[in-house]
Amino acid sequence: MDFKQLKDNVKSLLVNREYDNIIELAKTNKRIISVLISFSYEKTSELTWNSIQMIGRIVGNMPYEEARKQVRKLLWNATDESGTIPWTVPEILGEIIRENPTPFEDIVPILIGYSHSETEDNIFLSGVVYALGRIGQRHPKYISSYAEIIVKDSLRHKDPEVCANACIAVKRLNLTDMEIDQSRPLRSLWDELKKRDDTATVFYEDKVMTLTISQLVDLLERYSDG
Protein backbone atom coordinates (compact mmCIF):
# COMPACT_ATOMS: atom_id res chain seq x y z
CA MET A 1 0.00 0.00 0.00
CA ASP A 2 1.12 3.59 -0.57
CA PHE A 3 1.93 6.00 2.27
CA LYS A 4 -1.53 7.58 2.33
CA GLN A 5 -3.21 4.19 2.55
CA LEU A 6 -0.82 3.20 5.31
CA LYS A 7 -1.62 6.41 7.21
CA ASP A 8 -5.35 5.79 6.89
CA ASN A 9 -4.90 2.22 8.11
CA VAL A 10 -2.75 3.20 11.09
CA LYS A 11 -5.09 6.07 12.00
CA SER A 12 -8.01 3.66 12.09
CA LEU A 13 -6.06 1.30 14.34
CA LEU A 14 -5.11 4.16 16.67
CA VAL A 15 -8.66 5.46 16.90
CA ASN A 16 -9.91 1.97 17.74
CA ARG A 17 -7.00 1.40 20.16
CA GLU A 18 -5.85 -1.69 18.29
CA TYR A 19 -2.29 -1.16 19.48
CA ASP A 20 -1.12 -4.76 19.21
CA ASN A 21 -2.06 -4.73 15.52
CA ILE A 22 0.11 -1.65 15.00
CA ILE A 23 3.03 -3.39 16.70
CA GLU A 24 2.60 -6.41 14.43
CA LEU A 25 2.41 -4.17 11.39
CA ALA A 26 5.61 -2.41 12.43
CA LYS A 27 7.48 -5.71 12.34
CA THR A 28 7.08 -5.90 8.57
CA ASN A 29 6.71 -2.25 7.56
CA LYS A 30 9.46 0.19 8.57
CA ARG A 31 7.35 3.18 7.50
CA ILE A 32 5.14 2.79 10.56
CA ILE A 33 7.40 5.06 12.64
CA SER A 34 7.21 7.79 10.01
CA VAL A 35 3.42 7.45 9.94
CA LEU A 36 3.16 7.69 13.72
CA ILE A 37 5.45 10.72 13.81
CA SER A 38 3.23 12.40 11.21
CA PHE A 39 0.36 12.13 13.71
CA SER A 40 2.37 13.46 16.67
CA TYR A 41 2.20 17.24 16.30
CA GLU A 42 -1.18 18.32 17.66
CA LYS A 43 -1.06 18.11 21.45
CA THR A 44 -4.77 18.74 21.84
CA SER A 45 -5.55 15.48 20.01
CA GLU A 46 -5.62 12.08 21.68
CA LEU A 47 -4.47 10.68 18.34
CA THR A 48 -1.18 12.51 18.87
CA TRP A 49 -0.64 11.10 22.35
CA ASN A 50 -1.58 7.59 21.29
CA SER A 51 0.95 7.91 18.45
CA ILE A 52 3.65 9.11 20.84
CA GLN A 53 3.09 6.17 23.15
CA MET A 54 3.08 3.72 20.25
CA ILE A 55 6.42 5.07 18.99
CA GLY A 56 7.82 4.46 22.47
CA ARG A 57 6.60 0.88 22.54
CA ILE A 58 7.84 0.07 19.04
CA VAL A 59 11.25 1.75 19.17
CA GLY A 60 11.84 0.67 22.75
CA ASN A 61 11.58 -2.97 21.69
CA MET A 62 13.58 -2.76 18.47
CA PRO A 63 17.02 -4.41 18.18
CA TYR A 64 19.67 -2.11 19.65
CA GLU A 65 21.20 -0.67 16.48
CA GLU A 66 17.85 -0.12 14.80
CA ALA A 67 16.46 1.59 17.90
CA ARG A 68 19.52 3.82 18.19
CA LYS A 69 19.10 4.81 14.55
CA GLN A 70 15.53 5.91 15.22
CA VAL A 71 16.62 7.91 18.27
CA ARG A 72 19.36 9.63 16.27
CA LYS A 73 16.72 10.68 13.74
CA LEU A 74 14.62 12.18 16.51
CA LEU A 75 17.61 14.06 17.90
CA TRP A 76 18.33 15.40 14.43
CA ASN A 77 14.71 16.51 14.06
CA ALA A 78 15.14 18.59 17.22
CA THR A 79 17.94 20.66 15.67
CA ASP A 80 17.50 23.90 13.76
CA GLU A 81 19.31 22.38 10.79
CA SER A 82 16.61 19.75 10.25
CA GLY A 83 14.07 22.33 9.13
CA THR A 84 11.25 20.46 10.89
CA ILE A 85 8.96 21.57 13.72
CA PRO A 86 9.89 19.08 16.45
CA TRP A 87 7.17 19.94 18.95
CA THR A 88 6.95 16.50 20.57
CA VAL A 89 10.49 15.13 20.33
CA PRO A 90 10.98 15.24 24.15
CA GLU A 91 7.72 13.39 24.75
CA ILE A 92 8.64 10.72 22.18
CA LEU A 93 12.12 10.26 23.65
CA GLY A 94 10.53 9.99 27.08
CA GLU A 95 8.23 7.20 25.94
CA ILE A 96 11.11 5.28 24.35
CA ILE A 97 13.20 5.54 27.52
CA ARG A 98 10.21 4.64 29.67
CA GLU A 99 9.66 1.51 27.59
CA ASN A 100 13.29 0.34 27.72
CA PRO A 101 15.75 2.66 29.49
CA THR A 102 18.92 0.55 29.48
CA PRO A 103 19.96 1.14 25.83
CA PHE A 104 19.23 4.85 26.16
CA GLU A 105 20.83 5.88 29.45
CA ASP A 106 22.98 8.40 27.57
CA ILE A 107 19.86 10.00 26.07
CA VAL A 108 18.45 11.03 29.46
CA PRO A 109 20.98 13.90 29.91
CA ILE A 110 20.28 15.03 26.34
CA LEU A 111 16.56 15.06 27.09
CA ILE A 112 17.18 17.09 30.24
CA GLY A 113 19.34 19.45 28.19
CA TYR A 114 16.32 20.45 26.13
CA SER A 115 14.97 22.21 29.24
CA HIS A 116 17.65 24.89 28.91
CA SER A 117 16.97 27.99 26.88
CA GLU A 118 18.30 31.52 26.67
CA THR A 119 14.70 32.73 26.73
CA GLU A 120 11.73 31.78 28.88
CA ASP A 121 9.78 30.71 25.80
CA ASN A 122 11.27 27.24 25.44
CA ILE A 123 9.16 25.09 23.12
CA PHE A 124 10.65 21.93 24.66
CA LEU A 125 10.29 22.58 28.39
CA SER A 126 6.74 21.33 28.78
CA GLY A 127 7.62 18.14 26.90
CA VAL A 128 10.77 17.58 28.96
CA VAL A 129 8.84 17.90 32.21
CA TYR A 130 6.17 15.52 30.91
CA ALA A 131 8.83 13.02 29.82
CA LEU A 132 10.66 13.13 33.15
CA GLY A 133 7.43 12.29 34.92
CA ARG A 134 6.73 9.39 32.60
CA ILE A 135 10.24 7.97 32.89
CA GLY A 136 10.53 8.39 36.64
CA GLN A 137 7.12 6.92 37.35
CA ARG A 138 8.39 3.56 36.07
CA HIS A 139 12.18 3.94 36.47
CA PRO A 140 12.96 6.31 39.38
CA LYS A 141 16.71 5.65 39.28
CA TYR A 142 17.00 7.55 36.01
CA ILE A 143 15.68 10.76 37.55
CA SER A 144 18.53 12.73 39.10
CA SER A 145 18.17 15.39 41.77
CA TYR A 146 18.81 17.93 39.02
CA ALA A 147 15.88 16.55 37.01
CA GLU A 148 13.72 16.89 40.11
CA ILE A 149 14.78 20.54 40.43
CA ILE A 150 13.69 21.18 36.82
CA VAL A 151 10.27 19.75 37.62
CA LYS A 152 10.03 21.69 40.88
CA ASP A 153 11.05 25.00 39.30
CA SER A 154 8.56 24.48 36.47
CA LEU A 155 5.70 24.62 38.97
CA ARG A 156 6.18 28.39 39.07
CA HIS A 157 6.46 28.84 35.31
CA LYS A 158 4.18 31.45 33.75
CA ASP A 159 3.26 29.11 30.86
CA PRO A 160 0.25 27.13 32.12
CA GLU A 161 1.16 24.07 30.03
CA VAL A 162 4.62 23.92 31.64
CA CYS A 163 3.12 24.39 35.10
CA ALA A 164 0.41 21.79 34.49
CA ASN A 165 2.85 19.15 33.29
CA ALA A 166 5.07 19.92 36.27
CA CYS A 167 2.10 19.30 38.58
CA ILE A 168 1.53 15.92 36.94
CA ALA A 169 5.24 15.08 37.10
CA VAL A 170 5.36 15.95 40.82
CA LYS A 171 2.56 13.46 41.35
CA ARG A 172 4.21 10.76 39.24
CA LEU A 173 7.61 11.25 40.85
CA ASN A 174 6.14 11.46 44.35
CA LEU A 175 7.89 14.77 45.07
CA THR A 176 5.19 16.31 47.25
CA ASP A 177 7.42 16.15 50.36
CA MET A 178 10.43 17.91 48.82
CA GLU A 179 11.35 21.52 49.59
CA ILE A 180 11.27 24.34 47.05
CA ASP A 181 13.95 26.14 49.08
CA GLN A 182 15.64 25.67 52.45
CA SER A 183 12.72 26.92 54.48
CA ARG A 184 9.64 26.34 52.39
CA PRO A 185 8.01 22.95 51.68
CA LEU A 186 6.61 22.27 48.24
CA ARG A 187 3.22 21.76 49.85
CA SER A 188 2.92 25.51 50.39
CA LEU A 189 3.44 26.17 46.68
CA TRP A 190 0.98 23.38 45.89
CA ASP A 191 -1.63 25.28 47.88
CA GLU A 192 -0.85 28.44 45.92
CA LEU A 193 -1.42 26.58 42.66
CA LYS A 194 -5.00 25.99 43.76
CA LYS A 195 -5.55 29.70 43.15
CA ARG A 196 -4.32 29.73 39.53
CA ASP A 197 -7.22 30.04 37.11
CA ASP A 198 -5.23 30.00 33.86
CA THR A 199 -6.06 27.08 31.57
CA ALA A 200 -3.86 24.31 30.18
CA THR A 201 -4.40 21.33 27.93
CA VAL A 202 -2.67 18.15 29.14
CA PHE A 203 -2.71 14.42 28.54
CA TYR A 204 -3.44 12.52 31.74
CA GLU A 205 -5.09 9.20 32.53
CA ASP A 206 -5.12 8.43 28.79
CA LYS A 207 -7.26 11.48 28.06
CA VAL A 208 -6.70 14.98 26.73
CA MET A 209 -7.99 17.42 29.34
CA THR A 210 -8.42 21.18 29.22
CA LEU A 211 -8.77 22.62 32.71
CA THR A 212 -7.43 25.30 35.01
CA ILE A 213 -4.32 24.73 37.11
CA SER A 214 -6.55 24.82 40.18
CA GLN A 215 -8.80 22.11 38.76
CA LEU A 216 -5.80 19.98 37.79
CA VAL A 217 -4.30 20.16 41.28
CA ASP A 218 -7.64 19.12 42.75
CA LEU A 219 -7.82 16.22 40.28
CA LEU A 220 -4.29 15.08 41.11
CA GLU A 221 -5.06 15.07 44.80
CA ARG A 222 -8.04 12.80 44.19
CA TYR A 223 -6.13 10.26 42.09
CA SER A 224 -4.04 7.70 43.94
CA ASP A 225 -1.52 7.55 41.09
CA GLY A 226 -0.93 8.99 37.64
Side-chain angles (χ1 to χ4, degrees):
M1 65 180 74
D2 62 27
F3 193 74
K4 183 182 183 305
Q5 290 173 322
L6 184 62
K7 281 188 69 174
D8 291 343
N9 187 20
V10 172
K11 183 176 182 179
S12 176
L13 294 173
L14 285 169
V15 169
N16 292 301
R17 300 181 182 269
E18 297 179 38
Y19 304 135
D20 289 342
N21 289 339
I22 297 174
I23 291 173
E24 288 301 312
L25 192 58
K27 292 177 181 178
T28 57
N29 194 323
K30 295 183 178 180
R31 295 181 297 171
I32 292 298
I33 298 298
S34 296
V35 169
L36 290 170
I37 288 175
S38 75
F39 291 137
S40 70
Y41 296 102
E42 181 50 65
K43 291 187 180 183
T44 60
S45 167
E46 289 184 9
L47 182 70
T48 284
W49 293 101
N50 292 339
S51 299
I52 289 171
Q53 292 189 358
M54 285 307 307
I55 296 169
R57 289 179 62 183
I58 293 169
V59 176
N61 290 288
M62 283 180 174
Y64 178 81
E65 288 300 332
E66 189 175 354
R68 294 289 298 192
K69 180 180 178 181
Q70 292 294 337
V71 168
R72 285 194 296 270
K73 287 181 179 178
L74 288 166
L75 296 176
W76 164 251
N77 285 342
T79 66
D80 292 336
E81 293 84 356
S82 71
T84 60
I85 302 176
W87 301 114
T88 54
V89 165
E91 290 94 334
I92 294 172
L93 291 173
E95 291 303 310
I96 293 170
I97 297 166
R98 174 184 165 93
E99 183 69 22
N100 185 14
T102 304
F104 309 108
E105 290 184 29
D106 60 321
I107 305 301
V108 178
I110 296 174
L111 173 63
I112 291 173
Y114 289 144
S115 67
H116 303 302
S117 175
E118 295 181 358
T119 67
E120 194 170 3
D121 298 322
N122 181 350
I123 65 168
F124 289 136
L125 181 56
S126 177
V128 171
V129 172
Y130 175 87
L132 292 176
R134 289 284 289 173
I135 295 168
Q137 182 183 30
R138 184 176 289 179
H139 309 287
K141 73 174 185 176
Y142 291 97
I143 302 302
S144 64
S145 58
Y146 181 62
E148 291 180 351
I149 289 171
I150 291 171
V151 172
K152 175 191 70 176
D153 289 348
S154 295
L155 288 170
R156 291 182 280 196
H157 203 282
K158 68 177 184 179
D159 184 328
E161 185 178 302
V162 174
C163 176
N165 277 301
C167 291
I168 294 171
V170 163
K171 178 75 171 182
R172 287 174 168 160
L173 299 174
N174 195 28
L175 300 181
T176 51
D177 293 331
M178 75 182 299
E179 294 182 344
I180 57 175
D181 55 43
Q182 292 183 345
S183 60
R184 188 183 182 199
L186 186 146
R187 172 56 62 180
S188 64
L189 176 58
W190 196 252
D191 290 337
E192 289 179 16
L193 292 172
K194 293 180 181 179
K195 301 175 184 178
R196 282 187 63 165
D197 59 3
D198 43 342
T199 301
T201 298
V202 295
F203 185 68
Y204 184 66
E205 293 290 304
D206 292 327
K207 293 182 289 186
V208 171
M209 303 180 181
T210 300
L211 65 181
T212 66
I213 301 298
S214 174
Q215 289 170 331
L216 175 62
V217 170
D218 180 65
L219 176 68
L220 293 171
E221 288 185 336
R222 287 187 281 112
Y223 273 111
S224 61
D225 62 82

